[in-house]
Amino acid sequence: MAAPSDEEGAVGPRCHHRSAAMLDVPFPPFCAFLGALGLLCVAMVGTWCQHWRGGFSLDGGSRTFNWHPVLMVTGLVVLYGAAALVYRLPNTWSGPKLPWKVLHGGLALGAFVLSVLGLAAVFRFHNSQGTPNMYSLHSWMGLATVLLFSCQWVAGFGAFLLPWAPAWLRALYKPIHVFFGSTILLLSVASCASGINEKLFFSLKNGTTSYKLLPAEAVFANTLGLLILVFGVLVVAALARPSWKRPDSDSPDSRQ
């Protein structure tokens, strides 16, 4: 069999590079799409609780519980995802890192505060109704996620924002911080999806609105769960994409 000519042999690499170039989406439009998707998730969970679950209150009843899904989706998923993607912005790739560190830590702290308020809402509802706390897989997973998140934030604050941390400690802890960042986001998505499903099972019981009959509320909430899952997967994919990672630099102005 005759060996392929140089022109024929170059077809494969040329097609490969062309396909890779077509798939190399710039980060800013991807980030805009992801931001719109996150806002859609927040709007949908708010609409679900307002339209089908009776709205919001602080009286300890079912309307107090409605703060729980809204705060958890907003904090643990959307705001946390935004914090995770701060260093993927091209603007962060040059100049001092300290302002971006503060933004990253501030967004994560805001996500943590919202998640704690979300836990407080569900605990208050359970206690006022005489419902046991921490009996379901969803509750175990959710509390474990928040506890792991708190440890992650404290460790990251001590290693990357306080001036006492030596360079070798930061270099040692950085891959651990990145790994648990993605892990916490996936746990948050799993907790929200299981919580939506659990709420639907508890709420849609009677014969006219039974969950198995797939009423409008079930369709809406299931769609919300799928969108949250897509949001989490896209954030993790963005974090793993090599071309969107901040380049390592040895210049003095790129390090604190």
Side-chain angles (χ1 to χ4, degrees), residues 57-99:
S57 177
L58 297 175
D59 58 3
S62 59
R63 293 187 299 168
T64 299
F65 173 86
N66 290 340
W67 287 107
H68 175 68
V70 172
L71 292 172
M72 288 306 193
V73 171
T74 304
L76 272 184
V77 177
V78 178
L79 201 57
Y80 185 83
L85 292 176
V86 164
Y87 292 117
R88 298 304 184 267
L89 293 170
N91 296 343
T92 68
W93 293 1
S94 60
K97 290 179 66 176
L98 183 59

Side-chain angles (χ1 to χ4, degrees), residues 204-218:
L204 303 179
K205 294 180 179 180
N206 61 58
T208 58
T209 60
S210 178
Y211 190 13
K212 65 183 179 181
L213 299 178
L214 203 63
E217 179 181 357

Side-chain angles (χ1 to χ4, degrees), residues 105-233:
L107 289 173
L109 180 60
F112 176 72
V113 170
L114 292 181
S115 63
V116 170
L117 293 175
L119 288 179
V122 71
F123 280 129
R124 181 176 182 184
F125 167 71
H126 283 175
N127 294 335
S128 66
Q129 302 296 316
T131 304
N133 292 305
M134 304 304 300
Y135 65 89
S136 67
L137 177 60
H138 163 69
S139 61
W140 293 2
M141 189 184 306
L143 185 60
T145 302
V146 174
L147 292 176
L148 186 60
F149 185 11
S150 64
C151 295
Q152 168 89 340
W153 192 92
V154 171
F157 180 81
F160 300 119
L161 278 174
L162 294 183
W164 62 266
W168 65 266
L169 179 60
R170 296 181 182 183
L172 179 66
Y173 177 63
K174 182 179 178 180
I176 301 174
H177 185 77
V178 172
F179 169 77
F180 278 103
S182 298
T183 301
I184 291 169
L185 179 62
L186 293 178
L187 287 174
S188 300
V189 170
S191 299
C192 289
S194 63
I196 291 171
N197 194 244
E198 183 178 287
K199 181 61 178 177
L200 290 174
F201 273 118
F202 285 156
S203 301
L204 303 179
K205 294 180 179 180
N206 61 58
T208 58
T209 60
S210 178
Y211 190 13
K212 65 183 179 181
L213 299 178
L214 203 63
E217 179 181 357
V219 174
F220 189 89
N222 286 347
T223 303
L224 168 63
L226 287 177
L227 291 178
I228 291 173
L229 177 61
V230 170
F231 179 88
V233 169

